[in-house]
Amino acid sequence: LRARLEFLRDTCAIDEADFLTFDAIRQAAQCAGRVIRGKTDYGIVVFADKRYNRADKRDKLPGWIRQFITDGSLNLSSDLAMHRARQFLRKMAQPATTAETVSLDFEQLRRSNAYVASAATATAAITSHPLQATGQQLPDQPADQPERFAVEMDEAEAMEIAV
């Protein structure tokens, strides 16, 4: 770490304290992102460090986190934080009403003008591609082999698929 800090200071003129703050905020945001992975997930992230009360530290957090940090949620006592957590979890445990859902079923989507317009644009873009119009194969794909897609994944994901 010390060598990295010296390198950043010497080559990029980045102050050590600025880098350490950036790195800590990045790691905190990454951990917060692990709580919510899908549309139906919900959770509570507690930034209990008093430094998050300072606007200069909070402003370095990504917008998707900052939008939930209000003045009323700063510097809470443990009791008040637990009370708010219970309220949130009780509310989230209730079934969602139809009015609260933003999803459309296929029929509603098909009737939507926005979907119809975007689907027409996408189809036009595909059929107007030069290789699509001539029927030629892509240069790196032999004509007798099916199309293949590369998927990037880390080692842990590959292990989950293998198991």
Side-chain angles (χ1 to χ4, degrees):
L1 178 63
R2 190 168 306 281
R4 181 184 300 161
L5 292 173
E6 288 175 10
F7 173 79
L8 290 171
R9 184 188 63 232
D10 296 342
T11 60
C12 304
I14 296 175
D15 183 53
E16 292 174 5
D18 290 340
F19 174 76
L20 291 173
T21 297
F22 164 79
D23 197 43
I25 296 288
R26 180 189 58 78
Q27 289 182 28
Q30 188 176 31
C31 289
R34 289 190 174 123
V35 173
I36 301 169
R37 299 306 251 169
K39 289 181 180 182
T40 59
D41 294 345
Y42 60 91
I44 296 173
V45 177
V46 177
F47 290 94
D49 193 306
K50 66 182 178 184
R51 290 174 282 194
Y52 290 106
N53 284 331
R54 295 177 36 192
D56 65 319
K57 301 294 184 198
R58 280 194 320 272
D59 290 344
K60 290 179 174 63
L61 287 166
W64 67 270
I65 295 175
R66 267 195 330 266
Q67 68 180 333
F68 298 107
I69 301 177
T70 61
D71 289 337
S73 66
L74 298 175
N75 206 22
L76 300 178
S77 67
S78 299
D79 291 337
L80 186 54
M82 288 298 294
H83 174 71
R84 289 210 180 154
R86 281 189 199 102
Q87 283 180 319
F88 171 77
L89 291 172
R90 282 187 189 124
K91 178 184 175 195
M92 295 306 295
Q94 302 305 311
T97 64
T98 307
E100 292 175 330
T101 60
V102 294
S103 299
L104 301 175
D105 66 23
F106 183 70
E107 277 303 311
Q108 292 170 324
L109 185 63
R110 205 170 52 107
R111 288 190 307 251
S112 165
N113 290 335
Y115 173 74
V116 171
S118 67
T121 304
T123 304
I126 292 171
T127 57
S128 66
H129 188 278
L131 291 178
Q132 183 75 19
T134 61
Q136 294 178 353
Q137 292 292 322
L138 295 174
D140 62 343
Q141 179 186 354
D144 61 336
Q145 289 192 6
E147 189 172 345
R148 297 172 193 246
F149 297 97
V151 177
E152 292 185 26
M153 66 178 74
D154 62 16
E155 198 170 320
E157 290 172 322
M159 292 300 289
E160 287 178 14
I161 293 171
V163 174

